[in-house]
Amino acid sequence: MKTPVWIAAGALAALGVAVGIGAAFGDVGGYMPTPEAAKPGAYSAMPKPDTTGMTPQQVALVQRGEYLTTAADCMPCHMAPGAKPFAGGLSFVTPFGTLYSPNITPDKTNGIGKWTNKQFYDALHYGVAPGSSLAVFPKYLYPAMPYTSYAKLSKPDVLAMKAYLDAIPAVNAPHVPNALNFPFNIRAMLLGWRIMFFSTAPVHYAADWTPAVRNGAYIAEALGHCSECHSPRNLLFAIKSSETLAGAQILGEPWYAPNISSSKKYGVGAWSHADLVSYLHDGGNMQYGSAFGPMKSVVDYSLSQVPKSDIADLAAYLQTATAPRDIAPAMVSVPASEIAEGKTLYAQNCAACHQADGKGVADVFPNLAGNQASWGGAPDNVIGIVLGGMIPWHANGPAMPAFGSILNDHQIAAVTNYVRTAWGNPGVPDATAAHVFNLRKSAPPHRIALADADYLDLPPIASAAARKLGCPLLTNPLIDPSDAIMNIMQGVTSDTLASRTQILLAAIKKANPDLSKSEIHQYMLTVYCPVVATQKDMSMSDKKAALKHFMAQAPSDAMIAVPAGNKQGG
């Protein structure tokens, strides 16, 4: 079960939607993300259990388990895009390699259909699955599955969850093998980490807590496992107990889970109770926006599906019973000229949707002014959304297009710093071009990004490799490529380069018959450069030589030769 991120206020989710792109750059065609309709009911519903032949007591246990499994947010992590619920296959990119969630349907071959109640309890409470490691050690689970929080669940609740999972349809889906680097692929190595950091202690309840706050604590600390994402970790990736819920970078993803402690300055202590409940359960509002990024799946699949009274209890716990984490960010100053540049970029690309005053359009484009997601914590959320875009805020609404192919690293940092400090937002202008580049660099391979929408999925032109090589970005009016044209050179080899170049040249001339020779040169460079940039077997000098040779020959109806020694992309 993936540790989700709660990003307070989906306001950033549309920072410069298609209207802004159209106004600034013209119609950039299919290569850039365009507004898409979110289909109503697009989120998979929890599978209905088969309770045929069960006693009333057994049915009640299964129903309790369905509620608990929903509140624990299990399904989103155990369901790859396009797959069946609980069949597994979702990817988790870590510094140690990639993990894939397992099948937890009652299939007896590939799921947990043969697990006993004790084995299931051991998995959630102790983080130990059936089997062994190195023959003599238990099969320790990797803490990407938040058993460190689920250990706080009561045994009856764990067994109720097992009863529900036993009653849903079995799915015969084999487990996708993990791809962890040595020695992290040896589970026995987790023993030392567990001795130092893992505890099975239950939730600690203060004597003066009301029943509502106690219930909220159980939801936050055990079922919802909020601390797994929202708490900083030490060098060994264990949660810092003195900074729980203070906000943290999500491991392997371009997201920052903000401070959700009772702090009135940096957390949710100053939110009204109604606003926090609305954010967690009802889709948010124009004051704090709505959940986006990984937290959106938490709201869509989990929090919005449980009784609102539970969410009211959760909000009460977060706002009144958690330790206030008043950890101020480091102060940073940037030249006024950079803020001014960000303001200009905002006006060109974002104001058409979010408005010049940052107040957005009700239920369509979230507000950025006064929105804690705009200024709270690290700048990663703003940067990541500008780079990679975002799905619609509401069903049938416009999607946020990606700007990673249009704006360079400095420009993205500038507009980020403007949004974090404009309209009275008390954020720190700490975004830098280097930070933007590093987030580009963190984007996993396309096949991994497809397996989990929480990761950046950048086209080649927006990749860190393309930026490092200095490839042109998409700009108007010289560059207006469609998806088809941008993809013509993908997969080119020394044997196909000449013919592909002829196809590219013909496509450019057909789409833009009035282009000058210099414009055609720029067009072809924009298409071909990312292909060369992403070749892993070429040195930087070879890449530059390949581009130089390519451009020396183009545009031409003659066959273009490949530099000696360049077998791919050059």
Side-chain angles (χ1 to χ4, degrees):
M1 291 133 193
K2 185 178 183 181
T3 51
V5 55
W6 173 16
I7 300 170
L12 306 174
L15 185 60
V17 219
V19 177
I21 276 198
F25 297 101
D27 180 10
V28 291
Y31 191 68
M32 295 298 298
T34 53
E36 298 175 358
K39 298 178 181 179
Y43 311 111
S44 298
M46 291 280 285
K48 289 302 176 186
D50 181 3
T51 57
T52 304
M54 292 186 181
T55 66
Q57 293 79 9
Q58 290 172 324
V59 171
L61 183 66
V62 169
Q63 291 174 339
R64 170 69 177 172
E66 182 176 6
Y67 157 76
L68 291 165
T69 305
T70 301
D73 200 38
C74 302
M75 186 173 69
C77 291
H78 288 273
M79 181 177 67
K84 294 183 178 180
F86 297 106
L90 193 69
S91 61
F92 300 79
V93 180
T94 77
F96 321 111
T98 302
L99 293 163
Y100 292 89
S101 62
N103 181 338
I104 57 171
T105 72
D107 183 74
K108 295 184 181 299
T109 302
N110 295 300
I112 60 172
K114 292 183 178 180
W115 284 29
T116 65
N117 283 352
K118 181 182 184 305
Q119 288 173 326
F120 186 79
Y121 180 74
D122 286 348
L124 268 67
H125 189 72
Y126 296 112
V128 175
S132 63
S133 176
L134 299 180
V136 297
F137 292 94
K139 186 179 179 180
Y140 298 127
L141 293 175
Y142 292 102
M145 189 280 218
Y147 63 82
T148 46
S149 291
Y150 291 155
K152 297 179 174 66
L153 292 170
S154 69
K155 189 169 185 177
D157 279 352
V158 171
L159 297 185
M161 295 169 72
K162 175 69 160 53
Y164 167 71
L165 292 173
D166 282 345
I168 65 175
V171 179
N172 185 12
H175 176 56
V176 180
N178 296 327
L180 292 173
N181 305 319
F182 179 82
F184 304 107
N185 59 339
I186 301 175
R187 294 176 183 266
M189 288 192 61
L190 289 168
L191 177 60
W193 186 90
R194 291 166 60 92
I195 291 173
M196 290 188 290
F197 303 116
F198 178 48
S199 169
T200 59
V203 177
H204 172 73
Y205 300 107
D208 60 345
W209 285 357
T210 65
V213 171
R214 290 169 65 92
N215 184 46
Y218 188 71
I219 295 171
E221 295 186 26
L223 280 171
H225 52 279
C226 304
S227 192
E228 302 288 346
C229 282
H230 293 273
S231 301
R233 294 176 181 269
N234 61 26
L235 292 176
L236 295 178
F237 297 96
I239 290 173
K240 296 181 180 179
S241 59
S242 62
E243 298 180 27
T244 53
L245 306 182
Q249 176 68 40
I250 300 299
L251 188 65
E253 297 184 14
W255 302 110
Y256 182 85
N259 186 327
I260 58 169
S261 75
S262 62
S263 169
K264 294 186 181 298
K265 187 172 184 179
Y266 302 110
V268 295
W271 291 35
S272 75
H273 185 261
D275 280 337
L276 187 52
V277 172
S278 174
Y279 171 82
L280 293 172
H281 190 273
D282 300 329
N285 56 36
M286 291 301 292
Q287 174 63 30
Y288 292 103
S290 67
F292 61 93
M295 186 61 191
K296 181 170 174 55
S297 71
V298 177
V299 173
D300 290 336
Y301 290 105
S302 178
L303 300 182
S304 66
Q305 305 301 313
V306 301
K308 195 168 184 176
S309 59
D310 279 341
I311 305 306
D313 293 347
L314 171 61
Y317 168 72
L318 293 174
Q319 292 187 296
T320 67
T322 60
R325 305 302 186 188
D326 295 313
I327 303 174
M331 297 307 297
V332 176
S333 62
V334 298
S337 58
E338 182 174 326
I339 298 298
E341 179 183 2
K343 182 177 182 180
T344 299
L345 288 166
Y346 178 87
Q348 293 173 339
N349 305 301
C350 316
C353 296
H354 295 284
Q355 309 302 299
D357 58 7
K359 293 183 178 179
V361 177
D363 296 324
V364 182
F365 306 121
N367 60 301
L368 302 176
N371 193 307
Q372 196 162 327
S374 302
W375 57 263
D380 299 53
N381 298 329
V382 185
I383 294 172
I385 290 173
V386 175
L387 275 174
M390 184 54 60
I391 61 177
W393 182 16
H394 295 301
N396 295 320
M400 160 77 180
F403 282 78
S405 302
I406 294 176
L407 300 179
N408 63 35
D409 296 342
H410 172 79
Q411 290 172 321
I412 291 177
V415 75
T416 296
N417 287 333
Y418 172 72
V419 167
R420 285 166 63 80
T421 58
W423 316 297
N425 286 347
V428 176
D430 51 357
T432 65
H435 197 152
V436 177
F437 178 80
N438 285 335
L439 281 182
R440 289 187 194 265
K441 194 174 180 180
S442 73
H446 180 62
R447 63 179 180 81
I448 297 295
L450 284 179
D452 189 341
D454 292 341
Y455 298 120
L456 279 176
D457 187 15
L458 301 177
I461 194 173
S463 67
R467 302 280 49 80
K468 188 174 182 179
L469 187 58
C471 297
L473 290 162
L474 302 181
T475 57
N476 192 64
L478 295 184
I479 309 302
D480 185 19
S482 68
D483 198 20
I485 292 179
M486 286 300 298
N487 289 330
I488 285 175
M489 303 301 284
Q490 292 296 318
V492 69
T493 67
S494 57
D495 294 329
T496 61
L497 179 60
S499 59
R500 291 282 192 92
T501 302
Q502 294 284 9
I503 294 171
L504 173 61
L505 184 59
I508 292 173
K509 289 181 176 180
K510 181 179 180 180
N512 302 272
D514 297 326
L515 289 180
S516 67
K517 183 176 181 180
S518 63
E519 289 172 334
I520 292 177
H521 266 256
Q522 183 74 356
Y523 211 141
M524 296 184 76
L525 178 62
T526 302
V527 175
Y528 187 56
C529 185
V531 177
V532 176
T534 53
Q535 296 301 313
K536 294 183 178 181
D537 59 347
M538 293 177 67
S539 67
M540 181 60 68
S541 59
D542 283 344
K543 292 178 181 180
K544 291 180 178 179
L547 287 179
K548 183 177 180 180
H549 182 83
F550 179 82
M551 295 311 299
Q553 301 294 321
S556 169
D557 292 331
M559 304 298 281
I560 297 179
V562 183
N566 291 342
K567 296 181 180 180
Q568 291 281 345

